[in-house]
Amino acid sequence: MPTSEIRSIILAAGKGTRMKSSNPKVLHSIMGKTLLERVVNAALKVEDINKTYVIVGHQAQMVENLVKEKYADEVETVLQEPQLGTGDAVYKCYEKLKDFQGSVIVLYGDPPLIRTETIEKFINSHRTSKAVLTVMTAIVANPLNYGRIIRDEGGSILKIVEEKDATPSQKAIKEINAGIYCFDWQKIAPAFNELTPNNEQGELYLTDVIDWSVRKGMKTNAYVLEDSSEVFGINSQKQLARAAIKLKNRKLEELMDLGVTIIDPIMTWISPETEIGADSTIYPNCYIEGENFLGEKNIIGPNTYIKGNVETADNVKIVASVLSDTVIAENVTIGPFAHLRDNVNIAENVRIGNFVEVKKSDIADGSKAAHLSYIGDTKIGKNVNIGAGTITANYNSITKEKKQTIIEDNASIGSNSVLVAPVKIEKGAMVGALSVITQNIAENALAVTRAPMKIIKDWVLKFKK
Ligand code: UD1
Ligand code: CA
């Protein structure tokens, strides 16, 4: 019995020769996510798709590792070895789908701008038209290197001709194969047994399945895409750069529509996976990649690099800094030139100033580290003042261990002090400037380790003699 179930097959086995890179093409990244992830994510969000296969081949292990790491069991990889073409790639699922009675949607791993809604609309059109096979097409100004859509006088699709096999008049056709297909698996599957490499590239073309189904008299449709930029496939470094610009511009426009101020859209990069609240302002030269959630009325930049997993509440200000894996509460100021990384939690009203690095640390309400510090593996309480130049010596280079520093509420650390972990500064305690702290300091105590100051009268005069 036919079912409405849909499985997707994503092709990621090709080398991507035109990238001139040692990495597989689909593993190139745009703003923190690989091309392949962008396609897989778009497909996984389609409700009706309940199983996804990724075809791997060139550097299969690398691609497989990514799929395992990001999707665990949600996505299955299938090996294509050797890589004989896009038709051969789909054929690798032949055995797995032997008894499958639903539809299959095939996508390539290289169009990172594809949207879930577009895939959904495409599936709907395939269903309502009752076609056996539907292929997505687009009208583009420059069809170079895409497969061209050949239609008959009545406008019905006949076949797809690849650039390398096209005659000059076919090359003039502006309707191209977008590279997304949906078909009734059982009806189309036999085609994969009949593909031949009779073409310029000597490959088994998936595109030849269209010609096959037309010849068999099966209902074959072309679905013309509205926004052709969505299926922009990446084949070269130049196209990778162009796709990145398209992707970020699309995001910036969405954010501006939601009330975010982008001072200079040309000089600003924000990943599609970043959310930003209304009335936030992004100054020029910010590069925000990966998944982030920034609140309302934030001021970010100029010159800030957010590398992912950063969450800010409202009214946070971050100037010229680098951040990753950090959660920041309301009314916090960061920078300029701060570096926050590897699981940092910052509570309300904290200030992290110039040249301060914070790694794997928690800082509670109202505390300040305003200048020139390294804070690592540290728990800082409320209203603590970290003087300029304070260093937490968290690393023992002999044992290679990292140890914790605890600084409790209202403590105050004098400038240029070194806190040798593990160590605890209790509530309200003070550390005198230039101290090296190797023992715990009790509540409200003062610790000073510097040598007493000497003043030697006329020393300079004696020295000169
Ligand atoms: C393909 C289409 C072309 C279409 C264009 C859209 C074919 C023959 N041509 O051309 O009509 O206009 O995409 O972007 O399908 N792959 C495998 N195994 C292989 C070969 C390729 O998995 O043996 C994968 C690649 O990793 C890639 C995808 O299939 O993700 C497409 O391959 P690519 O070489 O980029 O095809 P195009 O020449 O761009
Ligand atoms: Ca391509």
Side-chain angles (χ1 to χ4, degrees):
M1 261 304 281
T3 70
S4 60
E5 210 190 314
I6 298 182
R7 297 195 183 173
S8 67
I9 300 176
I10 299 172
L11 309 193
K15 179 166 189 258
T17 314
R18 291 163 280 180
M19 294 299 285
K20 307 267 168 67
S21 159
S22 57
N23 291 325
K25 173 171 77 177
V26 295
L27 293 194
H28 283 79
S29 288
I30 297 179
M31 289 178 281
K33 284 230 180 323
T34 59
L35 302 181
L36 179 60
E37 278 172 88
R38 296 205 176 279
V39 176
V40 173
N41 291 349
L44 288 183
K45 281 193 217 130
V46 177
E47 219 177 288
D48 294 341
I49 297 180
N50 40 28
K51 170 107 205 152
T52 293
Y53 304 97
V54 170
I55 313 296
V56 299
H58 177 70
Q59 302 233 34
Q61 200 55 53
M62 265 175 101
V63 183
E64 216 177 297
N65 288 350
L66 172 97
V67 171
K68 283 223 174 76
E69 181 199 330
K70 304 284 174 170
Y71 306 104
D73 302 329
E74 216 178 338
V75 173
E76 186 178 333
T77 53
V78 178
L79 185 66
Q80 183 201 16
E81 187 59 66
Q83 294 87 49
L84 302 176
T86 50
D88 175 63
V90 174
Y91 184 60
K92 295 294 160 196
C93 290
Y94 198 79
E95 278 305 307
K96 294 189 185 290
L97 296 172
K98 211 165 61 196
D99 301 318
F100 177 62
Q101 300 299 324
S103 301
V104 161
I105 177 163
V106 178
L107 302 116
Y108 297 150
D110 65 358
L113 285 122
I114 188 71
R115 285 184 158 108
T116 298
E117 304 84 79
T118 303
I119 303 174
E120 281 168 348
K121 276 195 208 159
F122 174 66
I123 291 173
N124 276 342
S125 139
H126 173 74
R127 281 178 172 159
T128 49
S129 71
K130 302 221 159 53
V132 175
L133 186 156
T134 307
V135 54
M136 193 187 284
T137 74
I139 316 283
V140 296
N142 177 13
L144 187 71
N145 290 329
Y146 286 104
R148 306 298 202 283
I149 304 297
I150 313 295
R151 294 178 182 261
D152 66 13
E153 306 85 63
S156 299
I157 184 166
L158 287 177
K159 60 177 175 176
I160 298 174
V161 176
E162 291 303 296
E163 171 87 30
K164 288 189 175 133
D165 306 303
T167 63
S169 68
Q170 288 171 332
K171 280 186 186 160
I173 296 171
K174 305 256 190 241
E175 186 180 11
I176 56 105
N177 171 22
I180 301 182
Y181 316 77
C182 188
F183 49 87
D184 179 324
W185 175 257
Q186 291 298 337
K187 292 207 177 110
I188 295 296
F192 292 96
N193 274 318
E194 294 175 28
L195 293 177
T196 55
N198 290 332
N199 51 59
E200 261 311 299
Q201 306 189 76
E203 289 183 2
L204 298 169
Y205 286 167
L206 173 56
T207 44
D208 285 349
V209 170
I210 283 73
D211 172 54
W212 182 91
S213 89
V214 170
R215 278 190 286 112
K216 293 274 182 235
M218 295 178 182
K219 188 167 182 187
T220 309
N221 267 0
Y223 170 90
V224 187
L225 185 70
E226 287 154 41
D227 174 8
S228 64
S229 73
E230 270 190 63
V231 289
F232 184 62
I234 313 301
N235 300 307
S236 63
Q237 300 285 353
K238 282 187 269 186
Q239 287 178 329
L240 180 68
R242 269 167 63 199
I245 291 170
K246 282 173 198 263
L247 200 61
K248 71 111 169 170
N249 283 343
R250 195 162 90 180
K251 180 66 188 184
L252 296 180
E253 278 168 20
E254 276 168 29
L255 288 171
M256 288 187 269
D257 284 344
L258 292 170
V260 176
T261 302
I262 311 278
I263 304 274
D264 182 352
I266 293 172
M267 303 287 280
T268 304
W269 286 77
I270 300 176
S271 68
E273 295 76 24
T274 295
E275 283 179 46
I276 303 180
D279 292 317
S280 286
T281 301
I282 315 297
Y283 279 83
N285 259 331
C286 286
Y287 192 88
I288 303 180
E289 66 181 5
E291 281 166 42
N292 306 287
F293 191 91
L294 311 182
E296 295 181 6
K297 300 188 177 70
N298 277 214
I299 296 178
I300 311 292
N303 303 317
T304 289
Y305 180 18
I306 294 183
K307 298 159 91 173
N309 297 319
V310 170
E311 222 181 288
T312 65
D314 300 344
N315 293 308
V316 170
K317 211 176 152 181
I318 305 174
V319 186
S321 293
V322 179
L323 289 86
S324 57
D325 304 303
T326 292
V327 179
I328 300 174
E330 279 182 22
N331 304 318
V332 167
T333 346
I334 308 285
F337 315 116
H339 185 191
L340 278 56
R341 61 186 179 94
D342 296 321
N343 195 10
V344 169
N345 279 291
I346 308 249
E348 284 135 60
N349 305 310
V350 164
R351 170 159 162 59
I352 304 291
N354 319 250
F355 304 102
V356 175
E357 178 177 358
V358 186
K359 186 222 102 181
K360 209 187 241 177
S361 294
D362 295 346
I363 304 182
D365 309 9
S367 290
K368 290 181 179 56
H371 336 262
L372 304 156
S373 265
Y374 173 67
I375 298 167
D377 302 293
T378 300
K379 245 181 133 65
I380 297 180
K382 294 180 189 167
N383 302 314
V384 167
N385 189 56
I386 305 285
T390 298
I391 305 292
T392 58
N394 59 335
Y395 182 59
N396 182 323
S397 60
I398 296 162
T399 63
K400 308 243 182 291
E401 284 172 317
K402 296 246 168 77
K403 290 279 159 65
Q404 207 192 22
T405 300
I406 296 174
I407 306 172
E408 294 186 345
D409 298 353
N410 304 310
S412 174
I413 313 299
S415 296
N416 257 341
S417 295
V418 179
L419 310 178
V420 183
V423 71
K424 183 172 173 185
I425 319 295
E426 291 186 6
K427 281 185 190 148
M430 285 185 97
V431 170
L434 203 62
S435 296
V436 179
I437 303 301
T438 51
Q439 289 168 41
N440 294 350
I441 305 173
E443 241 179 274
N444 297 317
L446 167 72
V448 219
T449 69
R450 60 177 181 257
M453 183 170 152
K454 265 193 238 167
I455 296 185
I456 303 169
K457 212 170 159 249
D458 292 334
W459 184 89
V460 178
L461 296 176
K462 281 179 218 152
F463 181 75
K464 280 187 177 161
K465 265 187 208 161

